């Protein structure tokens, strides 16, 4: 298994921006050790020039730099490079700086000295956000937000827009449910941008990527010395979102003990940081998403009933793509126009028979799957016409991959402990993909971070975790 993991090749790229050569080199070494392609720049201007010539998945930038500082760089990158995620690194952490970094479009921030585990987690979250089709919430100066585009004129989409228009101006908690890929975060951003809090930050937390221990710290913050690796105090997401909105993505992944603390925050708007007895108040609107049946989770004892009712004040359920196939032509047109501009090619014509094929597909991955297929078509189609013959193998490939994974192995599971069965499934899937973590996580329906945590608990991820000089 360890040998299989060593076969993983870097498939994502990270640009490090820091004017301090020693810090820049240390960050580059750490990111390379984690397994990503790495490049570096000594200034914000140099970074923008590099990004104009080469795309990067993630930019990790220092805050304090001469000339263009990190906040200015974040704003420039967010405006010009939509799919590039940003992580801020600073030795001058404060609520003001952290909120500004996230308001201008940074996905996360880290305080120096940086822990390798924290850096890995931040980069993985950034890459996973991009793979899910997420976009950072960037609020330009003056508080005006770019409008979120919601595509489709079906009755389901019209009803959804009406519901958003009704609930967005309020401060009520909203629970957004729907299958993976239906656009739950897009709806959350639409609600935030139509609310009275739109000039403030919307802070997101992707719950599945964090362990229970890290989750509490991410939500509420911690004091220095609160636990072994707490080398400095950290601001939690609720404090960052004060006067704004917090999005708890896939909230069912929060463990039961932490659910009780979350319930208190929703009821009283106050909490304590890890390692502190001082109460912090936060005026935060809460949006939550889930791709699970929460009532079933409550019945199974995995989710608190009182928290469910507190979250489910205003429910919004997103329809799967297969139930609004009349929206597929306009979605195809939108994604195709965007894709041909990105890849720099002439527009494609979609044959009627190809569109019929797209409308007959069940779309288990919903809108995200459709976008991926159209992007692939823009990249690989030779000529000017997109035909069923070109699309059909890709649709079949997606279905066959799911079927093949479900049928691998002839292991008797009778009497096997659940955790042992889970480990065996993870190991077999990882071997199937020759150690490729991203493919493995996608096939298992979990995040790369969750997969990494599982592997680490099995003793299969022996890496150094800190570097002291950054």
């Amino acid at each position: 298994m360890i040998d299989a993991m060593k076969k993983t090749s870097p498939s994502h790229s990270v640009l490090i921006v820091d004017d301090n050569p020693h810090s820049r080199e240390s960050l580059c070494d750490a990111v390379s050790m984690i397994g990503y392609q790495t490049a570096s720049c000594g200034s914000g201007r140099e970074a923008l020039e590099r990004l104009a010539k080469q795309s990067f998945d993630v930019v990790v930038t220092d805050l304090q730099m001469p000339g263009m500082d990190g906040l200015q760089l974040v704003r420039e990158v967010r405006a010009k490079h939509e799919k590039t995620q940003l992580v801020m690194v600073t030795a001058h952490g404060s609520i003001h700086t952290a909120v500004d970094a996230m308001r201008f479009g940074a996905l996360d921030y880290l305080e120096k000295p940086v822990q390798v585990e924290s850096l890995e987690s931040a980069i993985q979250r950034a890459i996973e956000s991009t793979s899910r089709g997420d976009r950072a919430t960037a609020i330009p100066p003056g508080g005006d937000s770019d409008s979120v585009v919601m595509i489709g004129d079906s009755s389901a989409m019209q009803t959804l827009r009406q519901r958003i228009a009704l609930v967005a101006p309020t401060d009520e908690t909203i629970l957004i449910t729907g299958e993976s890929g239906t656009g739950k975060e897009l709806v959350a951003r639409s609600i935030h941008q139509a609310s009275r809090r739109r000039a403030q930050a919307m802070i997101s937390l992707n719950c599945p990527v964090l362990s229970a221990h890290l989750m509490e710290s991410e939500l509420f913050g911690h004091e220095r010395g609160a636990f072994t690796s707490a080398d400095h105090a950290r601001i939690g997401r609720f404090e960052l979102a004060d006067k704004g909105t917090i999005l708890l993505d896939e909230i069912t992944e929060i463990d039961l003990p932490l659910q009780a603390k979350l319930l208190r925050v929703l009821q009283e708007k106050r909490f304590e940081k890890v390692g502190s007895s001082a109460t912090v108040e936060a005026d935060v609107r809460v949006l939550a998403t889930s791709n699970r049946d929460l009532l079933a989770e409550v019945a199974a004892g995995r989710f608190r009933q009182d928290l469910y009712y507190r979250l489910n004040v205003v429910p919004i359920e997103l329809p799967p793509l297969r139930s609004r196939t009349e929206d597929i032509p306009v979605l195809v047109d939108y994604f195709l126009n965007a894709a041909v501009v990105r890849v720099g090619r002439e527009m494609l014509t979609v044959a009627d028979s190809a569109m019929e094929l797209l409308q007959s597909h069940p779309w288990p991955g919903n809108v995200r799957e459709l976008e991926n297929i159209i992007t692939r078509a823009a990249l690989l189609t030779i000529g000017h016409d997109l035909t069923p013959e070109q699309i059909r193998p890709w649709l079949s490939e997606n279905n066959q991959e799911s079927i093949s994974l479900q049928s691998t192995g002839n292991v008797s599971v009778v009497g096997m402990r659940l955790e042992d069965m889970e480990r065996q499934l993870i190991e077999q899937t990882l071997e199937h993909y020759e150690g490729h973590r991203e493919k493995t996580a996608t096939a298992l329906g979990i995040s790369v971070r969750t997969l990494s945590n599982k592997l680490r608990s099995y003793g299969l991820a022996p890496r150094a975790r800190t570097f002291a000089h950054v």
Side-chain angles (χ1 to χ4, degrees):
M1 176 59 61
I2 293 177
D3 289 338
M5 290 175 60
K6 289 179 180 178
K7 295 177 184 177
T8 303
S9 60
S11 57
H12 295 286
S13 56
V14 179
L15 179 63
I16 307 297
V17 188
D18 196 322
D19 64 307
N20 183 305
H22 183 64
S23 295
R24 189 167 66 244
E25 183 179 352
S26 295
L27 282 169
C28 283
D29 288 346
V31 174
S32 296
M33 180 185 69
I34 293 168
Y36 298 112
Q37 298 175 8
T38 311
S40 65
C41 294
S43 70
R45 292 296 177 193
E46 185 184 348
L48 290 177
E49 292 174 3
R50 184 70 178 264
L51 284 164
K53 301 174 183 177
Q54 179 184 355
S55 62
F56 288 86
D57 296 290
V58 184
V59 172
V60 179
T61 179
D62 191 27
L63 170 64
Q64 298 290 343
M65 297 185 293
M68 176 182 288
D69 66 14
L71 286 178
Q72 290 175 297
L73 177 60
V74 166
R75 288 170 59 177
E76 290 283 340
V77 173
R78 188 76 291 121
K80 298 176 181 177
H81 306 279
E82 185 185 56
K83 288 199 170 182
T84 300
Q85 299 285 6
L86 296 119
V87 175
M88 177 74 72
V89 177
T90 176
H92 308 272
S94 69
I95 295 176
H96 176 74
T97 300
V99 169
D100 277 350
M102 292 186 173
R103 180 178 293 136
F104 294 151
L107 186 75
D108 206 346
Y109 81 100
L110 302 170
E111 291 187 62
K112 295 182 178 181
V114 177
Q115 299 286 319
V116 173
E117 186 171 281
S118 299
L119 181 64
E120 178 181 13
S121 176
I123 293 173
Q124 285 182 342
R125 285 199 298 269
I127 289 171
E128 289 160 8
S129 293
T130 300
S131 68
R132 292 195 311 269
D134 299 348
R135 302 289 183 268
T137 301
I139 300 180
D144 295 325
S145 299
D146 296 332
S147 60
V148 174
V149 179
M150 298 184 66
I151 304 298
D153 296 316
S154 63
S155 59
M157 289 301 294
Q158 292 177 25
T159 300
L160 177 60
R161 289 193 186 93
Q162 291 170 358
R163 178 67 64 89
I164 290 172
L166 287 171
V167 303
T170 74
D171 273 343
E172 295 300 326
T173 301
I174 297 177
L175 178 62
I176 306 166
T177 58
E179 296 177 8
S180 178
T182 50
K184 295 186 291 295
E185 185 166 351
L186 181 71
V187 169
R189 293 209 314 276
S190 299
I191 292 169
H192 173 72
Q193 292 186 0
S195 75
R196 67 178 181 84
R197 298 171 181 263
R198 60 184 173 273
Q200 305 301 322
M202 185 178 92
I203 304 298
S204 300
L205 180 64
N206 185 19
C207 299
V209 305
L210 297 171
S211 65
H213 172 67
L214 292 175
M215 179 75 72
E216 183 173 4
S217 175
E218 284 291 332
L219 284 172
F220 308 127
H222 65 251
E223 296 294 347
R224 181 178 181 181
F227 45 87
T228 304
S229 59
D231 298 325
H232 52 74
R234 182 169 178 83
I235 304 163
R237 301 295 173 111
F238 269 95
E239 196 169 357
L240 285 170
D242 188 36
K243 303 297 189 296
T245 303
I246 189 168
L247 171 61
L248 302 177
D249 195 14
E250 301 303 341
I251 195 169
T252 51
E253 300 302 316
I254 296 178
D255 285 355
L256 282 167
L258 192 52
Q259 289 178 24
K261 296 184 179 181
L262 180 59
L263 178 64
R264 182 196 170 203
V265 179
L266 294 177
Q267 292 173 332
E268 302 177 13
K269 306 291 185 182
R270 60 183 64 188
F271 58 89
E272 287 80 41
K273 295 183 178 182
V274 179
S276 172
S277 59
T279 298
V280 179
E281 295 189 357
D283 173 18
V284 178
R285 184 191 195 169
V286 176
L287 309 178
T289 73
S290 177
N291 60 13
R292 298 189 186 185
D293 182 341
L294 262 72
L295 281 176
E297 294 296 303
V298 170
R302 292 187 293 266
F303 201 80
R304 291 179 62 105
Q305 186 178 47
D306 48 6
L307 178 57
Y308 167 73
Y309 287 119
R310 176 62 65 173
L311 289 168
N312 201 40
V313 175
V314 181
I316 294 181
E317 184 174 0
L318 303 194
L321 184 56
R322 61 185 172 275
S323 72
R324 58 182 187 101
T325 56
E326 62 267 43
D327 287 333
I328 287 178
V330 67
L331 284 164
V332 169
D333 185 61
Y334 178 80
F335 292 141
L336 194 55
N337 273 284
V340 296
V341 170
R342 278 201 311 273
V343 303
R345 65 162 296 160
E346 294 180 1
M347 188 63 185
L348 291 171
T349 299
V350 182
D352 290 344
S353 52
M355 189 64 74
E356 291 173 3
L357 176 61
L358 291 172
Q359 288 185 284
S360 66
H361 184 64
W363 298 111
N366 290 290
V367 179
R368 187 182 305 130
E369 182 187 358
L370 174 61
E371 182 179 12
N372 290 342
I373 290 292
I374 297 304
T375 301
R376 186 185 299 184
L379 286 167
L380 301 181
T381 299
I382 299 173
H384 302 285
D385 299 317
L386 186 57
T387 66
E389 290 72 29
Q390 292 168 309
I391 297 172
R392 189 173 288 108
W394 300 334
L395 300 179
S396 300
E397 175 185 307
N398 287 354
N399 290 339
Q400 285 300 318
E401 185 166 300
S402 175
I403 293 169
S404 66
L405 278 173
Q406 293 171 17
S407 62
T408 53
N410 297 307
V411 180
S412 173
V413 296
V414 177
M416 182 182 290
R417 293 190 310 165
L418 184 61
E419 54 265 38
D420 293 336
M421 186 167 63
E422 178 188 72
R423 174 171 180 168
Q424 192 159 338
L425 174 63
I426 289 173
E427 289 180 349
Q428 286 186 4
T429 308
L430 190 65
E431 288 174 356
H432 175 82
Y433 287 110
E434 297 184 331
H436 194 294
R437 291 192 183 191
E438 189 171 358
K439 291 181 179 179
T440 300
T442 300
L444 292 170
I446 60 177
S447 69
V448 176
R449 179 62 180 168
T450 299
L451 175 63
S452 296
N453 286 338
K454 295 284 187 184
L455 295 174
R456 193 173 294 118
S457 71
Y458 303 154
L460 299 177
R463 294 190 187 128
R465 285 293 174 218
T466 62
F467 55 108
H469 301 297
V470 177

